[in-house]
Amino acid sequence: MLNVGQLRTFTNIMASLTRNISGALLLCLFVTGCAHDSFHYSDVGSYSSSPKTRSIPSSGLHRVKSGDTLFSIAFSYGLDYRKVAGINGIDAPYTIYPNQKIRLTGTPKRTAKTTTSVAPKRPAAAVTKSATAKVNSSSKSVSTVKIPDRKVSSWHWPVIGSVTKGFSNAGVSSKGIDIRGKDAEHVKAAADGVVVYAGNGLIGYGNLVIVKHNDVYLSAYAYNERILVKEKQSVRAGDSLAIIGGKGTERPLLHFEVRRDGQPIDPLKVLPKK
């Protein structure tokens, strides 16, 4: 049996412990809340999924959203932009509009022309970012830059580093390679061409740049920290396109893809041997 003095002491001890535990719990909750408030979903954003080719909807249609270009739409579905343009009767400069329905399957109405053509008149407010969106005066238009319709004569590594993930064309696996780079390294154009997409609208690619080299080849540069070029800008092999970024804790890292007639190919088959 505890006497009155001992009982009072025991009660005081328990009360003190209760206050301390409650304070600790409140502190934990506060710290957790602060940590949550400081976390931005944009930190993972487009990196929550791995780059992969999208499945064509059962309707066979894609509804254009702000930021889309004909090139980015075709790229995301693993299609040749010329075929998509032909199916929809769209000629260069491949202007598209918000909420426009782009057919992804079917018989081409005609072969899309690569020369300059006059786009149908639409309200100015309806025009979305297209392959010929306005850029600074030093840039050139996709429709006016002459790109030889021949095989790329020389490819260059976009960054110098080890390949941490190879190409796979099975299932939804990566359609390119991952290259480990250096902090703040510039991502370089792998060959001469024109920037036909610069943005972050393709899920799994983060800040993405797509370069059209000729009517056959496109190259793509993903996971960038910051994009340095504009759409319809003419670039030469070795020109800086972006600042290298990464995916999650994999930094600095570049995801690099090459498409031939819209289909992914192993970049190591065209890049020079190290």
Side-chain angles (χ1 to χ4, degrees), residues 78-89:
L79 301 173
D80 187 340
Y81 76 92
R82 294 169 298 177
K83 180 178 179 181
V84 176
I87 292 172
N88 292 276

Side-chain angles (χ1 to χ4, degrees), residues 36 96 104 118 136 192 240 273:
H36 183 271
I96 56 178
L104 304 172
V118 179
N136 59 56
D192 297 354
S240 296
K273 302 296 183 182

Side-chain angles (χ1 to χ4, degrees), residues 15 35 39 107 119-120 128 160 172 221 232 234 237 248 256 272 274:
F39 179 84
T107 303
T128 187
I160 302 300
V172 295
Y221 313 75
K232 77 173 186 178
S234 179
F256 178 65
K274 290 183 178 180

Side-chain angles (χ1 to χ4, degrees), residues 21-266:
I21 292 172
S22 298
L25 288 173
L26 287 171
L27 179 60
C28 288
L29 289 172
F30 176 77
V31 171
T32 302
C34 290
H36 183 271
D37 288 342
S38 65
F39 179 84
H40 299 287
Y41 288 103
S42 60
D43 290 344
V44 289
S46 299
Y47 306 129
S48 57
S49 302
S50 295
K52 61 185 179 182
T53 303
R54 298 170 62 181
S55 298
I56 296 177
S58 57
S59 64
L61 298 172
H62 173 92
R63 187 178 291 274
V64 177
K65 63 181 183 297
S66 179
D68 280 350
T69 71
L70 186 73
F71 294 97
S72 68
I73 292 171
F75 182 90
S76 66
Y77 291 104
L79 301 173
D80 187 340
Y81 76 92
R82 294 169 298 177
K83 180 178 179 181
V84 176
I87 292 172
N88 292 276
I90 301 174
D91 294 331
Y94 310 118
T95 303
I96 56 178
Y97 305 89
N99 296 317
Q100 179 180 352
K101 293 180 179 178
I102 300 294
R103 291 187 294 117
L104 304 172
T105 59
T107 303
K109 293 181 179 180
R110 61 179 183 275
T111 302
K113 298 177 181 179
T114 57
T115 55
T116 303
S117 63
V118 179
K121 292 184 179 180
R122 298 286 181 94
V127 178
T128 187
K129 182 171 68 172
S130 71
T132 56
K134 291 182 179 179
V135 294
N136 59 56
S137 58
S138 63
S139 301
K140 297 181 180 179
S141 167
V142 170
S143 59
T144 59
V145 173
K146 183 175 177 57
I147 305 177
D149 183 14
R150 63 172 183 263
K151 184 176 180 180
V152 178
S153 59
S154 179
W155 291 89
H156 303 263
W157 283 81
V159 294
I160 302 300
S162 59
V163 175
T164 61
K165 185 176 183 180
F167 174 83
S168 174
N169 207 17
V172 295
S173 297
S174 171
K175 305 303 181 184
I177 60 176
D178 289 351
I179 309 172
R180 179 75 66 182
K182 299 177 182 177
D183 288 330
E185 184 174 3
H186 281 213
V187 175
K188 307 294 184 64
D192 297 354
V194 174
V195 177
V196 293
Y197 182 79
N200 55 13
L202 276 68
I203 295 175
Y205 284 89
N207 290 323
L208 171 69
V209 176
I210 301 176
V211 176
K212 177 179 183 286
H213 301 295
N214 54 29
D215 282 345
V216 176
Y217 285 97
L218 297 174
S219 61
Y221 313 75
Y223 301 165
N224 298 298
E225 183 69 27
R226 181 161 58 94
I227 294 174
L228 303 177
V229 291
K230 303 288 186 180
E231 287 176 12
K232 77 173 186 178
Q233 183 174 332
S234 179
V235 295
R236 302 296 299 271
D239 284 353
S240 296
L241 303 176
I243 302 297
I244 194 169
K247 178 182 179 182
T249 58
E250 299 178 81
R251 292 173 177 273
L253 190 78
L254 172 72
H255 178 74
F256 178 65
E257 296 188 13
V258 175
R259 301 285 176 99
R260 181 173 59 206
D261 293 328
Q263 297 300 306
I265 66 170
D266 187 352

